[in-house]
Amino acid sequence: MISHLWWLPLFPLAGFLLNWLFGKKFKPGLASFIACLSVGLSFLFACAAFFHLQGLEEGERVIHQTLYTWISAGDLSVPLAFLFDPLSVTMALVVSGVGFLIHVYSIGYMKGDDGYARYFAYLNLFTFAMLLLVLADNLLLMFVGWEGVGLCSYLPIGFWFQEDE
């Protein structure tokens, strides 16, 4: 289980891709189900990671997981890696737990809107970016997460772009 922690941000990314690419073909209930399920699964994985860390000795409560080397040039090596320690797992619990509640609330809030699937795609992308931000092992990956959060903060500004005649 602990070796699959990269699934934490992967679930919301998959939910984003499904709703972004195929959301117009989905019934609205399916789009929100996919979005809520992906964030709910991230929350369950964050809970499992939290309890795994609690089972470790106090000085060993750090898990470093490298997926691959992202940038390699001379002596510089920047991995795509996640750092799981008590702080980052707590933040992952907050992001995925509160994010799940926001997703559930949004089902009623967005009911009947033309951009229903797009809205849930944006929410999943925001959750992905937040999880990337709080779990990043290096500043470059954290910057990518930070910029993703910035983009996702901008997207709702232009969400309702159709003009009413």
Side-chain angles (χ1 to χ4, degrees):
M1 171 66 197
I2 202 68
S3 65
H4 296 353
L5 288 172
W6 51 271
W7 286 47
L8 266 163
L10 186 69
F11 284 127
L13 180 62
F16 161 72
L17 291 173
L18 283 172
N19 279 331
W20 182 257
L21 296 174
F22 307 111
K24 289 189 177 194
K25 297 175 184 168
F26 292 159
K27 292 182 180 178
L30 181 58
S32 58
F33 176 76
I34 289 171
C36 291
L37 178 67
S38 66
V39 176
L41 287 172
S42 286
F43 179 69
L44 291 176
F45 267 70
C47 287
F50 175 78
F51 288 118
H52 178 78
L53 283 181
Q54 288 298 101
L56 297 176
E57 294 294 323
E58 190 169 329
E60 298 175 7
R61 290 185 181 161
V62 175
I63 298 167
H64 182 264
Q65 187 176 36
T66 301
L67 299 179
Y68 65 91
T69 301
W70 185 19
I71 299 171
S72 180
D75 291 338
L76 176 68
S77 178
V78 180
L80 178 62
F82 297 119
L83 178 68
F84 296 94
D85 59 2
L87 177 62
S88 62
V89 171
T90 301
M91 291 305 298
L93 283 168
V94 170
V95 168
S96 57
V98 173
F100 177 74
L101 295 175
I102 292 169
H103 276 68
V104 170
Y105 174 81
S106 295
I107 293 171
Y109 179 75
M110 292 301 294
K111 187 174 186 177
D113 195 280
D114 291 336
Y116 192 82
R118 185 168 45 98
Y119 176 82
F120 280 100
Y122 289 169
L123 275 182
N124 276 145
L125 185 61
F126 180 79
T127 306
F128 165 73
M130 281 296 294
L131 288 171
L132 199 62
L133 174 67
V134 301
L135 299 175
D137 177 45
N138 54 61
L139 289 175
L140 193 55
L141 187 58
M142 187 183 81
F143 181 75
V144 170
W146 183 264
E147 290 302 314
V149 169
L151 170 67
C152 294
S153 298
Y154 172 76
L155 289 174
I157 293 171
F159 184 76
W160 287 287
F161 58 86
Q162 292 92 0
E163 291 185 31
D164 293 334
E165 283 9 314

